[in-house]
Amino acid sequence: MRRRFLIPLGLLAIAWVQELLDQVFFAGQWNLPMGQTQPLWGVLTAPFSHSGLAHLISNSVVFLPLSWLVLTRGTRDYLAVWIAVIVLEVPVALAWPAVSHGLSGVVYGLLGYLLLIGWLEKQILSILLSLVAFWLYGSALFALIPGVSPAGVSWIGHASGFAAGMLAAWGVHRESSTNDVSNG
């Protein structure tokens, strides 16, 4: 049961190994982004690719706590966020002219999930998780506004990740509600 809290560490290890190999052997040029000019499998590699150690560190320190907050609800919820983020990144990769990479799309997905699930479920634990996530990371919501993020930061990646997290919360809530009705 507690092993699920190791999942984010394993995922983060992939990103760190990629970045360290990139820095040591490729002088920071081995990036695996998603975008129109990239192979479609870049949607799967983009979260693990970063534009340097500062980019990776800034994503890491937010990714772990948000991952653990979602994992308090279960592995299914965490997987739902990842799947939703990857699915919504496909149209971004196909249509958006700039390439992007980094864990921030997933970070925003986790945040979107946590902010919506409390409102949907109206249960103490869910509301508490929403409030903690908003208190810790609510200021990050400004980066969802076009033009607020610094140049070179993919606000569309953040926005699609956030929307994916909200979609995952809605899907998880709907599935739970359907199961409750059919079991009741």
Side-chain angles (χ1 to χ4, degrees):
M1 177 105 162
R2 293 180 187 215
R3 288 184 184 174
R4 71 177 173 219
F5 292 99
L6 297 176
I7 295 169
L9 292 173
L11 293 168
L12 204 51
I14 294 169
W16 276 90
V17 166
Q18 189 280 330
E19 187 59 36
L20 291 174
L21 289 173
D22 180 23
Q23 294 301 318
V24 171
F25 296 109
F26 301 98
Q29 300 303 308
W30 181 46
N31 294 313
L32 307 167
M34 62 177 201
Q36 286 181 336
T37 61
Q38 304 299 312
L40 191 54
W41 51 263
V43 169
L44 299 174
T45 59
F48 305 104
S49 174
H50 290 78
S51 61
L53 289 173
H55 184 207
L56 179 54
I57 290 167
S58 67
N59 279 333
S60 297
V61 298
V62 180
F63 173 75
L64 282 177
L66 286 173
S67 290
W68 289 331
L69 286 172
V70 172
L71 281 166
T72 62
R73 298 193 31 88
T75 307
R76 172 193 69 151
D77 299 57
Y78 192 66
L79 186 58
V81 172
W82 271 88
I83 290 170
V85 168
I86 290 168
V87 167
L88 284 187
E89 281 183 348
V90 170
V92 171
L94 293 173
W96 197 252
V99 298
S100 65
H101 58 146
L103 275 169
S104 57
V106 177
V107 164
Y108 276 90
L110 296 166
L111 182 59
Y113 172 88
L114 288 165
L115 293 179
L116 185 59
I117 199 68
W119 185 77
L120 291 172
E121 291 185 346
K122 296 172 182 59
Q123 295 177 357
I124 296 295
L125 178 59
S126 300
I127 292 169
L128 185 61
L129 286 173
S130 293
L131 290 173
V132 167
F134 184 74
W135 179 64
L136 292 173
Y137 304 108
S139 63
L141 296 175
F142 289 110
L144 298 176
I145 302 168
V148 172
S149 294
V153 174
S154 175
W155 73 267
I156 192 74
H158 295 168
S160 69
F162 189 77
M166 293 176 69
L167 182 64
W170 178 77
V172 166
H173 173 68
R174 184 179 161 123
E175 181 183 324
S176 296
S177 297
T178 303
N179 287 342
D180 291 344
V181 169
S182 65
N183 291 333

